Amino acid sequence: MKQLFLLGIVLSIVVFSCKKEETTVVSAYSDDSTLVNLAGDCSTGDQTSYAFSYQINGLTSAQSLMFYVGNSFFNQSWVQAPSSTTARDGLGPLFNARSCSACHFRDGRGAPQSNSGLLFRLGANFDNSPDAIYGGQLQDFSHNSITPEGSMGITYVEETGYFADGSTYSLRKPVYTVAGQSYGAMQGTTGISPRVGQQMIGLGLLELISEADILANADPNDANGDGISGVANYVTDIVSGMPVIGRFGWKANVGSIAHQVAGAFNGDIGITSTYFPNENYTANQPSCAGLPNGGTPEIEDNDLNAVILYAKTLAVPRRRNVTQGEVKFGAQYFKSLGCVSCHKMNFTTGFGGDIAPLKNQKITPYTDLLLHDMGPGLADNVPDHLASGSEWRTQPLWGLGLISLVNGHTYLLHDGRARSIEEAILWHGGEAEKSKENYKKLPAKQRAYLLKYLQSL
């Protein structure tokens, strides 16, 4: 089956390479009105449910082979040790999923439910220190011989709102609890920060945006008085051991793709690596100690590096329908409402690393990779490094319009509470409050234009 899948990808690449595609004409670098290739030469023309799963063009033969090895380790499930499948045993003892693809199906976005991409980060509501019993993340699955830590309790309360024209909308406000705390009561100061797995496209390009270019958009004290700040997060990178600017994760709490991948293996699947050599249970969970493991480490460096390369080299789908009048009108509202204040269009990648196609690319990710206060409605009230309990990193918007096709849903924001692009807009608060209120004042026809534009990304 795996071979058939890979053959399908190869055939699709051949088909699309032969197909005449929409011409990219960029009238100005700051203007995306006719822009199709959001990731420069690292864009893909595929518009199917596999649109997030293509490697970028221009990899060396060795890198291309690593991509397919990484793809295999990304998609196949890990099993409990001991097992005859020694390259893939070591699952747990505590875990949230058995594979990366469980949270990033077809390299896309998770859904707000257990084993589909949602997890609960745990941290003190004053400094994000891990819970003494459950650590920094709730694992709701476990080895057969021990008990899962608990389960994620989610209920929603519908809240009605109104547009300026009198029409109504409804947002579902989530309430989160941890049910069945199997190893004792959680500390009273431990807060819950729900996080949904994000789409994987374009990560290698975001990693090559220079720190100087990110900081060029920062305005932590709002010196220009536009109501938008933008704060950089700084974190310690597990690979270099050095403080670096955060750019990945919902709170920009990770500085490199290598850290992100190795951290997810350890925290989400319970797989140790060179960077995370310890199993993911705490000293207050003695029943987890001494169980069989999958080696030291459980994923070997060559395989981990293949997954890291895979995560760096997934291409970004081209925009669609850019010549439609509704999309063009919507682009103007995207700018006039101030969305571009945070969803920045223009960056040029640097020259670091050894993946040549990622270098010196003009890209349009629609993010500034900075933290912004999004108001009390979206706050998790758990700080994360320099991020406060109400600050979140600006989410890249490239690929937004294809999530429904790739993943079969339209759940958005950090916890998937938004059921549509419009609901995601209406949840914006804090620094984005003015933009949201101006959106609510638009007539229905103009609101639809903006949504058409966002669906084209």
Side-chain angles (χ1 to χ4, degrees):
M1 181 61 74
K2 185 66 179 176
Q3 288 76 10
L4 289 175
F5 170 72
L6 296 178
L7 177 61
I9 288 181
V10 172
L11 290 175
S12 297
I13 291 173
V14 172
V15 169
F16 277 103
S17 67
C18 297
K19 182 180 178 181
K20 183 178 181 180
E21 296 178 335
E22 201 163 359
T23 302
T24 302
V25 180
V26 184
S27 56
Y29 185 40
S30 60
D31 178 11
D32 72 340
S33 60
T34 57
L35 181 62
V36 175
N37 290 329
L38 299 179
D41 296 336
C42 297
S43 305
T44 175
D46 189 83
Q47 298 177 15
T48 72
S49 59
Y50 291 98
F52 293 169
S53 298
Y54 284 78
Q55 67 173 250
I56 60 175
N57 291 324
L59 296 180
T60 66
S61 297
Q63 290 168 339
S64 186
L65 178 60
M66 281 186 70
F67 179 91
Y68 287 114
V69 174
N71 175 51
S72 173
F73 274 87
F74 188 88
N75 283 286
Q76 293 193 17
S77 295
W78 289 76
V79 298
Q80 185 174 323
S83 169
S84 57
T85 55
T86 56
R88 300 178 188 279
D89 69 349
L91 176 70
L94 301 168
F95 58 94
N96 296 102
R98 291 173 171 79
S99 69
C100 305
S101 61
C103 299
H104 306 277
F105 179 64
R106 290 180 181 166
D107 307 292
R109 186 180 173 81
Q113 57 198 37
S114 175
N115 201 31
S116 296
L118 177 69
L119 57 80
F120 282 0
R121 290 282 173 82
L122 306 175
N125 53 23
F126 52 91
D127 68 354
N128 197 30
S129 56
D131 184 83
I133 295 177
Y134 295 93
Q137 184 168 316
L138 181 78
Q139 279 92 18
D140 52 346
F141 293 94
S142 69
H143 273 196
N144 297 333
S145 58
I146 61 173
T147 306
E149 292 184 317
S151 60
M152 296 182 285
I154 311 169
T155 57
Y156 294 103
V157 178
E158 292 288 338
E159 295 185 343
T160 301
Y162 297 88
F163 294 106
D165 61 10
S167 58
T168 62
Y169 62 83
S170 184
L171 300 178
R172 58 175 190 170
K173 182 179 181 179
V175 178
Y176 297 111
T177 57
V178 175
Q181 299 175 30
S182 306
Y183 295 83
M186 202 169 282
Q187 290 175 287
T189 55
T190 297
I192 299 171
S193 181
R195 314 276 176 97
V196 165
Q198 304 180 42
Q199 56 267 38
M200 301 289 295
I201 55 175
L203 299 183
L205 296 163
L206 298 180
E207 191 173 47
L208 284 189
I209 297 174
S210 73
E211 180 174 347
D213 284 351
I214 296 173
L215 294 179
N217 292 314
D219 185 14
N221 299 314
D222 192 21
N224 62 8
D226 66 352
I228 306 296
S229 60
V231 179
N233 206 349
Y234 280 90
V235 299
T236 299
D237 183 56
I238 197 69
V239 178
S240 66
M242 301 296 292
V244 298
I245 193 167
R247 58 182 79 213
F248 300 110
W250 285 104
K251 295 210 174 204
N253 59 330
V254 177
S256 71
I257 296 171
H259 186 151
Q260 182 75 31
V261 169
F265 265 117
N266 189 243
D268 302 351
I269 312 178
I271 301 297
T272 62
S273 65
T274 296
Y275 302 130
F276 289 90
N278 300 317
E279 298 284 3
N280 59 3
Y281 58 86
T282 71
N284 292 313
Q285 296 171 313
S287 61
C288 299
L291 296 173
N293 63 48
T296 307
E298 291 172 323
I299 182 169
E300 296 181 357
D301 286 352
N302 287 342
D303 298 329
L304 178 64
N305 289 333
V307 181
I308 293 169
L309 178 136
Y310 177 77
K312 289 183 176 181
T313 56
L314 286 164
V316 177
R318 294 184 177 127
R319 279 186 69 202
R320 301 147 315 280
N321 306 319
V322 296
T323 59
Q324 288 185 2
E326 294 169 321
V327 173
K328 288 181 173 293
F329 286 133
Q332 297 307 310
Y333 288 109
F334 187 73
K335 295 174 183 175
S336 65
L337 293 178
C339 309
V340 292
S341 296
C342 303
H343 292 284
K344 297 292 185 184
M345 296 184 183
N346 309 317
F347 292 97
T348 301
T349 60
F351 291 88
D354 57 359
I355 303 176
L358 295 174
K359 301 179 182 180
N360 195 32
Q361 292 293 322
K362 289 186 175 181
I363 62 173
T364 312
Y366 304 95
T367 177
D368 57 7
L369 299 179
L370 296 171
L371 300 169
H372 294 275
D373 184 345
M374 296 301 290
L378 289 177
D380 62 3
N381 299 311
V382 179
D384 199 334
H385 297 83
L386 300 182
S388 74
S390 61
E391 288 180 321
W392 300 93
R393 183 200 69 160
T394 305
Q395 176 71 357
L397 298 182
W398 53 16
L400 175 64
L402 286 173
I403 291 174
S404 59
L405 180 62
V406 173
N407 295 119
H409 67 75
T410 53
Y411 297 123
L412 299 173
L413 296 178
H414 66 279
D415 56 0
R417 70 177 68 188
R419 293 164 291 196
S420 66
I421 295 174
E422 181 164 76
E423 285 192 15
I425 295 172
L426 295 169
W427 271 109
H428 280 52
E431 297 174 33
E433 180 73 20
K434 181 179 179 181
S435 294
K436 178 190 70 177
E437 290 301 321
N438 286 334
Y439 173 78
K440 291 167 63 176
K441 293 175 183 175
L442 293 175
K445 189 174 183 179
Q446 278 67 36
R447 296 198 303 268
Y449 290 159
L450 177 60
L451 298 179
K452 280 283 189 181
Y453 166 76
L454 292 170
Q455 288 164 354
S456 79
L457 302 184

PDB file of all heavy atoms in Angstrom, residues 215-231:
ATOM      1  N   LEU A 215      12.329  40.661  13.686  1.00  0.00           N
ATOM      2  CA  LEU A 215      12.339  41.782  14.640  1.00  0.00           C
ATOM      3  C   LEU A 215      11.987  43.107  13.973  1.00  0.00           C
ATOM      4  O   LEU A 215      11.558  44.050  14.651  1.00  0.00           O
ATOM      5  CB  LEU A 215      13.714  41.872  15.305  1.00  0.00           C
ATOM      6  CG  LEU A 215      14.091  40.686  16.211  1.00  0.00           C
ATOM      7  CD1 LEU A 215      15.483  40.874  16.784  1.00  0.00           C
ATOM      8  CD2 LEU A 215      13.067  40.523  17.329  1.00  0.00           C
ATOM      9  N   ALA A 216      12.164  43.190  12.664  1.00  0.00           N
ATOM     10  CA  ALA A 216      11.826  44.434  11.958  1.00  0.00           C
ATOM     11  C   ALA A 216      10.339  44.761  12.082  1.00  0.00           C
ATOM     12  O   ALA A 216       9.939  45.928  11.958  1.00  0.00           O
ATOM     13  CB  ALA A 216      12.223  44.319  10.491  1.00  0.00           C
ATOM     14  N   ASN A 217       9.514  43.743  12.326  1.00  0.00           N
ATOM     15  CA  ASN A 217       8.068  43.967  12.476  1.00  0.00           C
ATOM     16  C   ASN A 217       7.637  44.059  13.940  1.00  0.00           C
ATOM     17  O   ASN A 217       6.453  44.291  14.215  1.00  0.00           O
ATOM     18  CB  ASN A 217       7.301  42.820  11.805  1.00  0.00           C
ATOM     19  CG  ASN A 217       7.448  42.832  10.293  1.00  0.00           C
ATOM     20  OD1 ASN A 217       7.310  43.878   9.666  1.00  0.00           O
ATOM     21  ND2 ASN A 217       7.741  41.672   9.709  1.00  0.00           N
ATOM     22  N   ALA A 218       8.567  43.845  14.861  1.00  0.00           N
ATOM     23  CA  ALA A 218       8.219  43.895  16.287  1.00  0.00           C
ATOM     24  C   ALA A 218       8.050  45.345  16.738  1.00  0.00           C
ATOM     25  O   ALA A 218       8.786  46.235  16.311  1.00  0.00           O
ATOM     26  CB  ALA A 218       9.300  43.209  17.109  1.00  0.00           C
ATOM     27  N   ASP A 219       7.077  45.539  17.589  1.00  0.00           N
ATOM     28  CA  ASP A 219       6.820  46.877  18.138  1.00  0.00           C
ATOM     29  C   ASP A 219       6.257  46.680  19.551  1.00  0.00           C
ATOM     30  O   ASP A 219       5.096  46.987  19.821  1.00  0.00           O
ATOM     31  CB  ASP A 219       5.821  47.618  17.238  1.00  0.00           C
ATOM     32  CG  ASP A 219       5.606  49.049  17.681  1.00  0.00           C
ATOM     33  OD1 ASP A 219       6.404  49.557  18.498  1.00  0.00           O
ATOM     34  OD2 ASP A 219       4.629  49.663  17.202  1.00  0.00           O
ATOM     35  N   PRO A 220       7.089  46.133  20.454  1.00  0.00           N
ATOM     36  CA  PRO A 220       6.572  45.665  21.756  1.00  0.00           C
ATOM     37  C   PRO A 220       5.899  46.751  22.579  1.00  0.00           C
ATOM     38  O   PRO A 220       5.005  46.444  23.373  1.00  0.00           O
ATOM     39  CB  PRO A 220       7.835  45.128  22.449  1.00  0.00           C
ATOM     40  CG  PRO A 220       8.983  45.735  21.726  1.00  0.00           C
ATOM     41  CD  PRO A 220       8.533  45.903  20.320  1.00  0.00           C
ATOM     42  N   ASN A 221       6.291  47.986  22.392  1.00  0.00           N
ATOM     43  CA  ASN A 221       5.675  49.078  23.155  1.00  0.00           C
ATOM     44  C   ASN A 221       4.698  49.896  22.317  1.00  0.00           C
ATOM     45  O   ASN A 221       4.301  50.990  22.719  1.00  0.00           O
ATOM     46  CB  ASN A 221       6.777  49.984  23.712  1.00  0.00           C
ATOM     47  CG  ASN A 221       7.712  49.242  24.649  1.00  0.00           C
ATOM     48  OD1 ASN A 221       7.258  48.504  25.527  1.00  0.00           O
ATOM     49  ND2 ASN A 221       9.016  49.404  24.450  1.00  0.00           N
ATOM     50  N   ASP A 222       4.354  49.383  21.146  1.00  0.00           N
ATOM     51  CA  ASP A 222       3.447  50.068  20.231  1.00  0.00           C
ATOM     52  C   ASP A 222       3.884  51.523  20.016  1.00  0.00           C
ATOM     53  O   ASP A 222       3.091  52.468  20.171  1.00  0.00           O
ATOM     54  CB  ASP A 222       2.003  50.007  20.734  1.00  0.00           C
ATOM     55  CG  ASP A 222       1.004  50.459  19.660  1.00  0.00           C
ATOM     56  OD1 ASP A 222       1.358  50.433  18.460  1.00  0.00           O
ATOM     57  OD2 ASP A 222      -0.118  50.848  20.026  1.00  0.00           O
ATOM     58  N   ALA A 223       5.137  51.684  19.642  1.00  0.00           N
ATOM     59  CA  ALA A 223       5.702  53.022  19.476  1.00  0.00           C
ATOM     60  C   ALA A 223       5.001  53.809  18.372  1.00  0.00           C
ATOM     61  O   ALA A 223       4.938  55.044  18.426  1.00  0.00           O
ATOM     62  CB  ALA A 223       7.197  52.910  19.167  1.00  0.00           C
ATOM     63  N   ASN A 224       4.456  53.100  17.372  1.00  0.00           N
ATOM     64  CA  ASN A 224       3.801  53.821  16.278  1.00  0.00           C
ATOM     65  C   ASN A 224       2.317  54.075  16.550  1.00  0.00           C
ATOM     66  O   ASN A 224       1.631  54.680  15.730  1.00  0.00           O
ATOM     67  CB  ASN A 224       3.976  53.073  14.952  1.00  0.00           C
ATOM     68  CG  ASN A 224       3.341  51.692  14.963  1.00  0.00           C
ATOM     69  OD1 ASN A 224       2.628  51.335  15.907  1.00  0.00           O
ATOM     70  ND2 ASN A 224       3.599  50.911  13.925  1.00  0.00           N
ATOM     71  N   GLY A 225       1.817  53.599  17.691  1.00  0.00           N
ATOM     72  CA  GLY A 225       0.467  53.916  18.121  1.00  0.00           C
ATOM     73  C   GLY A 225      -0.647  53.328  17.282  1.00  0.00           C
ATOM     74  O   GLY A 225      -1.776  53.812  17.324  1.00  0.00           O
ATOM     75  N   ASP A 226      -0.362  52.243  16.562  1.00  0.00           N
ATOM     76  CA  ASP A 226      -1.422  51.653  15.729  1.00  0.00           C
ATOM     77  C   ASP A 226      -2.217  50.581  16.471  1.00  0.00           C
ATOM     78  O   ASP A 226      -3.102  49.942  15.895  1.00  0.00           O
ATOM     79  CB  ASP A 226      -0.825  51.075  14.436  1.00  0.00           C
ATOM     80  CG  ASP A 226       0.100  49.896  14.681  1.00  0.00           C
ATOM     81  OD1 ASP A 226       0.415  49.608  15.859  1.00  0.00           O
ATOM     82  OD2 ASP A 226       0.536  49.263  13.696  1.00  0.00           O
ATOM     83  N   GLY A 227      -1.890  50.369  17.749  1.00  0.00           N
ATOM     84  CA  GLY A 227      -2.616  49.371  18.529  1.00  0.00           C
ATOM     85  C   GLY A 227      -2.092  47.956  18.357  1.00  0.00           C
ATOM     86  O   GLY A 227      -2.604  47.028  18.971  1.00  0.00           O
ATOM     87  N   ILE A 228      -1.088  47.786  17.509  1.00  0.00           N
ATOM     88  CA  ILE A 228      -0.513  46.466  17.254  1.00  0.00           C
ATOM     89  C   ILE A 228       0.908  46.454  17.806  1.00  0.00           C
ATOM     90  O   ILE A 228       1.726  47.324  17.454  1.00  0.00           O
ATOM     91  CB  ILE A 228      -0.475  46.141  15.748  1.00  0.00           C
ATOM     92  CG1 ILE A 228      -1.863  46.307  15.126  1.00  0.00           C
ATOM     93  CG2 ILE A 228       0.056  44.728  15.530  1.00  0.00           C
ATOM     94  CD1 ILE A 228      -2.913  45.368  15.652  1.00  0.00           C
ATOM     95  N   SER A 229       1.218  45.483  18.653  1.00  0.00           N
ATOM     96  CA  SER A 229       2.572  45.436  19.211  1.00  0.00           C
ATOM     97  C   SER A 229       3.436  44.446  18.424  1.00  0.00           C
ATOM     98  O   SER A 229       4.152  44.834  17.496  1.00  0.00           O
ATOM     99  CB  SER A 229       2.538  45.092  20.695  1.00  0.00           C
ATOM    100  OG  SER A 229       1.938  43.837  20.904  1.00  0.00           O
ATOM    101  N   GLY A 230       3.351  43.192  18.748  1.00  0.00           N
ATOM    102  CA  GLY A 230       4.228  42.211  18.107  1.00  0.00           C
ATOM    103  C   GLY A 230       5.474  42.030  18.941  1.00  0.00           C
ATOM    104  O   GLY A 230       6.339  42.910  19.000  1.00  0.00           O
ATOM    105  N   VAL A 231       5.558  40.898  19.633  1.00  0.00           N
ATOM    106  CA  VAL A 231       6.662  40.627  20.545  1.00  0.00           C
ATOM    107  C   VAL A 231       7.311  39.308  20.154  1.00  0.00           C
ATOM    108  O   VAL A 231       6.620  38.325  19.882  1.00  0.00           O
ATOM    109  CB  VAL A 231       6.155  40.540  22.001  1.00  0.00           C
ATOM    110  CG1 VAL A 231       7.301  40.229  22.959  1.00  0.00           C
ATOM    111  CG2 VAL A 231       5.456  41.835  22.398  1.00  0.00           C
TER     112      VAL A 231
END
